Amino acid sequence: MKFRLIKKLGIICPKFDQSIKKMSRKRSFNQRKFLTFLLCLTIGIIVSSTAITTRWTVSGSPTHTYKTSWIGNSFGGGKDWVQNNIEAMYVAANGTVYTNSVWDEAGREAGIYQDGKIIGMANDTHGWSRTGGKAVTVDSKYIYLAITQGSIGKTEKDYPPDGTTWYCVRRYDLSGKPAPFTSGRGWDKSMLIASTKGEITGLATAKKELYVSDSAANRIRIYSTETMQELRSFSVTRPGAITVDQKANLWIIQNKKGSNPAKILHYSHTGKQLPQEITKVIEPTAIAIDPQGRLLVAENGPLQQVLIYNVTDKPVQVGTFGTKGGVFAGNPGEVQDLKLYGITGLGTDATGNIYINSNGFNRSGTDLRKFSPSGKQLWRLLGLLFVDNADADPQTDGVDVFTKEEHFVMDYSQPPGKQWTFKNYTLNPFKYPQDPRLHTSPDATFVRRIQGKPFLFITNMYSSFLQIYRFDTSKNNKVAIPSGMFVGTNGEGKKSIAGNWPPHQPAKGEWIWRDRNGNGAFDEGEYDKSEDYPYLGGWWVDSKGDVWKTLRTQDSIGIRHYPLQGLDANGNPIYAYSSMQKQKTPSMFTDLRRIEYFPETDTMYLSGFTVDHPAKGDDTGVVGSEIVRFDNWSQENPTPRWRIVVPHDTTGKREVSTAAMSVAGDYVFIVTFKTAEVHIYNAATGVQVQQFKPGSEVAHESGWIDIPHGIRAFRRSNGEYLVFVEEDWKGKVIIYRLMG
């Protein structure tokens, strides 16, 4: 079960698997149930070195000098990191940016930024069944933050009763400390309960009044900012974000629902609807008034721009900000200063500078930018990665690095944390609305070249699928095109993926989808189907493009090999159940987990729990207790060359276990689950040669390793090893650089 250190020992809230990405997980492959609460575990990090270049040896073994670096976040950690997925923001006249996120793994749901720096955060937004939200506003005295407060069971303190959730406005002073009030709720009396039915979708203040969008009740509620008592309310259907114009009247986004389109409505502060409205918008997500009194609207539809309206009388669009089409204009996917993507936040300061946050799509990550009124980018903060890992393009010797949605270009001559440039955003929801990354929660990428062409293979936290993407390099298109997908069998005899996506999937069993007509959509007649044991241990894609997977405790034939059958006319890899090969599980394994095969040397590495070192309970997400190397794998009954016993749970407390493994060059790399220690073994002998932790460059800290492929190693042509390790606590991927 994975939770983060919080300031007070207590019970912490679960994370939602799709919208927030990860929930607490019961280690059972018969069913995946989410636990609601656990006591927080206090984790201490012992700082053993402050040097940039670090050595941590295994007694009697040679060592490799290594440096710690990272990608995906503007800051390395400690007190500084950019939060996950800003959902709303408010910009003060002096350029201070106040933000709100539903979830930040390290507890910065509400960050405060200025001049490209982190200057603070709202306290106690995390844990104790509490999360952030999708609205924030500020006046001269207070921050008003939309939060969600769930129940925590029996307690004498003021929490919701079981089965009830409070959708609150929590009041803070401008430094980020809770500001209680006489009628306040919660243990510190700083919460205003606006609803028990649905989240708050908009906040604004004017003349000592706080305006709250209670979308579930289709009402705008008005409260005194001093007493937080409700003064009045009025009806608005599906109210969203709110801003107040220079006449103290309200502009309110009316969110779309089904066939009902979005609008922007105009109301007096007393609740009288005014005749002005804006209807020619598709996906308005944020709204603000600039110093000239113009209305700015974040249009998150295909335009991906800020629309600018003169609202002195009847609203007239007088301009736009940002490149039309956003990141998908020009060379699709190529990141540039004025190319936006997935806009969630918008604001201006007193001098007319414009602040915009892009989250990407399906919560890709934070991209917060400040622009001058003329459109010059003045600063930018990035927090792009959450529960993700990276891999290097073998053809570019590690210069091109990919995560599930981002393409980074590396310059290894630069200092740690400065080596990466966010070059391309590879997901396009408008051209490929059925892209699996929009409908699932993928976590880690394999980068492979097949016939010289680049492909991404992406799996998830439960190893339940493997997604395949191709690139149309002939058109300088940087977007990854949905190409194929493997999905495992549902153990209850139902569809492999519940819900309406993807269309036309088989009613039961497992399937392989291939984009036969090249349109990136799941069309009828594009599925190959079968049925197999439902519980998977891991995936692998070898250098030839063959796909491998392991089945956990299924009889004695638990390895599936899908040889690549070539590329079709649209450039999609071809795999089929008719060519699938079943291979025996070596007899020492009782529960097979990971697999990595190297066709150049006919070498197989397998991991899992064994007869000699069995599992304690059912720890579903880990490597197991042993890694075994087999030479001459394709021959009949190969015998092990060596067996390594890796850190694993022997007590049932799961304090020690190995989360992931990766083989590259002359070494086998593993990373432990809770402590994020990397252990290195000689691939020829199985002897451990080194182990190390995150260095001072990332404040000697890491979150837990949450995914089956949370470590990925790559050997460059100069002998250097790049070791990528998931670090979602503070929104990045750690890179260890070791000279071979």
Side-chain angles (χ1 to χ4, degrees):
M1 195 65 56
K2 171 181 176 295
F3 295 104
R4 298 299 176 215
L5 185 66
I6 56 177
K7 293 184 178 179
K8 298 178 181 178
L9 180 63
I11 301 170
I12 59 182
C13 68
K15 290 166 275 184
F16 311 100
D17 184 45
Q18 291 294 328
S19 65
I20 306 175
K21 197 70 184 57
K22 297 180 306 185
M23 288 185 79
S24 39
R25 294 167 286 164
K26 184 176 181 181
R27 302 295 179 179
S28 168
F29 60 88
N30 293 319
Q31 55 184 340
R32 294 184 178 110
K33 296 181 179 178
F34 300 124
L35 298 180
T36 308
F37 309 105
L38 277 184
L39 291 179
C40 182
L41 301 176
T42 304
I43 302 173
I45 297 176
I46 301 174
V47 179
S48 59
S49 171
T50 58
I52 289 179
T53 300
T54 310
R55 292 177 183 267
W56 182 6
T57 72
V58 177
S59 179
S61 300
T63 65
H64 299 271
T65 299
Y66 79 95
K67 293 183 179 181
T68 310
S69 188
W70 74 92
I71 60 173
N73 202 292
S74 294
F75 304 102
K79 64 181 179 63
D80 291 331
W81 74 97
V82 178
Q83 73 201 84
N84 303 143
N85 301 315
I86 291 172
E87 300 280 1
M89 71 185 199
Y90 177 89
V91 181
N94 66 356
T96 303
V97 181
Y98 301 86
T99 66
N100 198 357
S101 299
V102 173
W103 182 265
D104 178 69
E105 189 76 0
R108 181 170 280 147
E109 279 80 6
I112 306 173
Y113 305 88
Q114 190 175 44
D115 298 326
K117 300 176 182 178
I118 298 164
I119 63 170
M121 58 187 281
N123 296 335
D124 297 324
T125 59
H126 194 76
W128 295 85
S129 197
R130 183 169 53 259
T131 65
K134 297 182 178 180
V136 61
T137 194
V138 179
D139 62 17
S140 61
K141 293 179 65 176
Y142 300 114
I143 304 168
Y144 305 88
L145 193 71
I147 71 163
T148 298
Q149 177 66 67
S151 61
I152 64 169
K154 187 176 181 181
T155 177
E156 294 180 357
K157 295 186 177 182
D158 191 17
Y159 281 87
D162 286 345
T164 302
T165 298
W166 293 344
Y167 300 96
C168 303
V169 179
R170 194 171 181 197
R171 194 175 74 171
Y172 292 82
D173 66 25
L174 296 181
S175 71
K177 296 179 181 179
F181 46 95
T182 301
S183 60
R185 300 296 302 273
W187 77 96
D188 65 355
K189 297 185 179 299
S190 67
M191 298 181 190
L192 165 70
I193 304 171
S195 175
T196 58
K197 303 297 184 182
E199 65 186 355
I200 294 166
T201 51
L203 291 171
T205 61
K207 296 182 178 180
K208 296 186 178 182
E209 292 186 338
L210 172 67
Y211 302 92
V212 178
S213 288
D214 179 358
S215 187
N218 292 313
R219 298 199 73 77
I220 299 294
R221 303 189 184 279
I222 300 96
Y223 300 85
S224 164
T225 58
E226 293 298 322
T227 67
M228 300 298 281
Q229 293 291 320
E230 186 167 352
L231 303 175
R232 60 190 182 278
S233 69
F234 58 90
S235 176
V236 177
T237 303
R238 305 185 306 279
I242 310 171
T243 194
V244 181
D245 65 23
Q246 295 174 338
K247 297 179 181 178
N249 293 323
L250 310 180
W251 293 89
I252 304 169
I253 293 177
Q254 183 180 63
N255 292 317
K256 70 177 182 180
K257 182 178 181 180
S259 60
N260 297 310
K263 296 180 182 180
I264 299 172
L265 306 176
H266 196 200
Y267 283 81
S268 73
H269 70 282
T270 61
K272 178 183 178 181
Q273 185 168 4
L274 303 175
Q276 298 88 349
E277 65 177 35
I278 298 171
T279 58
K280 293 183 178 180
V281 288
I282 296 175
E283 190 75 35
T285 52
I287 194 169
I289 295 290
D290 74 3
Q292 300 177 49
R294 300 179 303 177
L295 180 67
L296 308 185
V297 178
E299 172 56 275
N300 200 35
L303 289 177
Q304 290 297 299
Q305 289 179 299
V306 174
L307 309 181
I308 304 172
Y309 293 88
N310 185 324
V311 291
T312 303
D313 191 9
K314 181 179 180 181
V316 177
Q317 186 178 334
V318 294
T320 61
F321 188 89
T323 303
K324 183 178 180 181
V327 77
F328 310 114
N331 295 329
E334 185 177 49
V335 174
Q336 295 180 359
D337 289 356
L338 288 169
K339 295 173 72 172
L340 307 173
Y341 61 111
I343 311 168
T344 62
L346 174 64
T348 66
D349 61 24
T351 58
N353 295 309
I354 300 173
Y355 302 73
I356 301 173
N357 184 73
S358 296
N359 262 11
F361 301 90
N362 198 17
R363 293 177 170 85
S364 298
T366 290
D367 186 338
L368 175 60
R369 312 184 201 186
K370 175 184 177 180
F371 299 93
S372 70
S374 64
K376 180 182 179 181
Q377 183 173 293
L378 301 177
W379 54 256
R380 183 184 193 187
L381 294 177
L382 297 173
L384 298 172
L385 305 180
F386 182 52
V387 197
D388 203 356
N389 201 9
D391 198 11
D393 183 348
Q395 187 162 300
T396 66
D397 200 30
V399 171
D400 291 295
V401 170
F402 290 83
T403 53
K404 61 189 175 189
E405 290 153 354
E406 294 84 14
H407 170 208
F408 301 97
V409 173
M410 308 296 293
D411 180 355
Y412 295 105
S413 68
Q414 297 300 311
K418 305 295 184 183
Q419 298 154 349
W420 57 278
T421 299
F422 178 28
K423 190 68 174 176
N424 298 301
Y425 181 71
T426 68
L427 189 158
N428 186 338
F430 303 109
K431 187 168 184 179
Y432 303 110
Q434 293 186 29
D435 188 320
R437 293 173 292 181
L438 295 169
H439 302 275
T440 62
S441 298
D443 298 317
T445 301
F446 303 87
V447 181
R448 296 292 183 264
R449 290 275 174 166
I450 300 174
Q451 298 180 15
K453 299 177 180 180
F455 291 87
L456 306 182
F457 294 78
I458 307 176
T459 186
N460 71 331
M461 183 179 287
Y462 305 110
S463 295
S464 57
F465 58 69
L466 183 71
Q467 300 167 355
I468 308 171
Y469 294 86
R470 63 183 175 88
F471 292 87
D472 186 356
T473 55
S474 65
K475 297 181 180 180
N476 208 22
N477 188 338
K478 311 302 181 181
V479 171
I481 303 168
S483 177
M485 187 170 181
F486 288 77
V487 171
T489 297
N490 184 301
E492 298 179 355
K494 301 177 182 178
K495 292 191 300 184
S496 291
I497 299 178
N500 297 323
W501 181 92
H504 311 296
Q505 70 167 309
K508 66 174 184 175
E510 61 183 48
W511 42 263
I512 303 171
W513 167 75
R514 175 161 53 91
D515 183 29
R516 296 173 187 268
N517 61 12
N519 67 352
F522 287 71
D523 295 318
E524 192 170 7
E526 293 187 337
Y527 293 87
D528 189 8
K529 60 183 180 179
S530 184
E531 196 163 355
D532 208 338
Y533 186 73
Y535 305 110
L536 308 184
W539 294 90
W540 176 248
V541 185
D542 68 28
S543 59
K544 296 195 305 181
D546 290 8
V547 170
W548 302 74
K549 75 177 179 184
T550 59
L551 306 181
R552 289 190 49 197
T553 56
Q554 190 258 357
D555 54 45
S556 61
I557 308 176
I559 298 173
R560 301 292 182 263
H561 176 202
Y562 301 87
L564 176 70
Q565 304 298 296
L567 302 180
D568 67 16
N570 291 303
N572 303 301
I574 303 171
Y575 303 97
Y577 289 111
S578 60
S579 58
M580 180 190 73
Q581 301 168 4
K582 296 182 178 182
Q583 299 182 5
K584 292 182 179 179
T585 302
S587 60
M588 73 280 293
F589 288 104
T590 58
D591 189 349
L592 193 58
R593 296 301 180 86
R594 307 288 189 267
I595 180 169
E596 297 197 12
Y597 176 71
F598 297 86
E600 301 87 351
T601 57
D602 196 21
T603 305
M604 174 66 80
Y605 297 85
L606 297 173
S607 82
F609 289 102
T610 62
V611 175
D612 296 332
H613 298 92
K616 186 75 174 181
D618 182 34
D619 204 353
T620 62
V622 299
V623 158
S625 58
E626 291 193 53
I627 300 173
V628 183
R629 171 176 169 164
F630 297 86
D631 292 341
N632 304 311
W633 175 257
S634 61
Q635 296 182 9
E636 189 72 21
N637 298 319
T639 57
R641 178 167 178 170
W642 49 249
R643 295 171 61 173
I644 299 170
V645 178
V646 296
H648 63 283
D649 179 25
T650 59
T651 66
K653 297 180 180 179
R654 299 188 65 250
E655 293 301 317
V656 178
S657 57
T658 298
M661 61 176 270
S662 183
V663 182
D666 298 325
Y667 299 100
V668 178
F669 300 83
I670 68 164
V671 63
T672 54
F673 171 53
K674 289 188 177 181
T675 57
E677 296 174 359
V678 174
H679 297 237
I680 307 176
Y681 303 87
N682 186 299
T685 65
V687 174
Q688 184 172 348
V689 297
Q690 194 170 355
Q691 68 186 67
F692 51 77
K693 294 181 179 180
S696 60
E697 303 91 339
V698 294
H700 299 282
E701 64 184 14
S702 173
W704 297 1
I705 308 303
D706 296 299
I707 57 179
H709 299 283
I711 188 169
R712 184 86 76 229
F714 177 82
R715 183 171 65 178
R716 303 183 68 204
S717 60
N718 63 359
E720 179 186 24
Y721 287 85
L722 305 175
V723 184
F724 302 97
V725 177
E726 176 215 14
E727 205 296 275
D728 66 297
W729 186 31
K730 293 187 177 175
K732 59 184 179 291
V733 167
I734 288 177
I735 306 176
Y736 298 104
R737 298 178 61 191
L738 298 86
M739 289 310 300

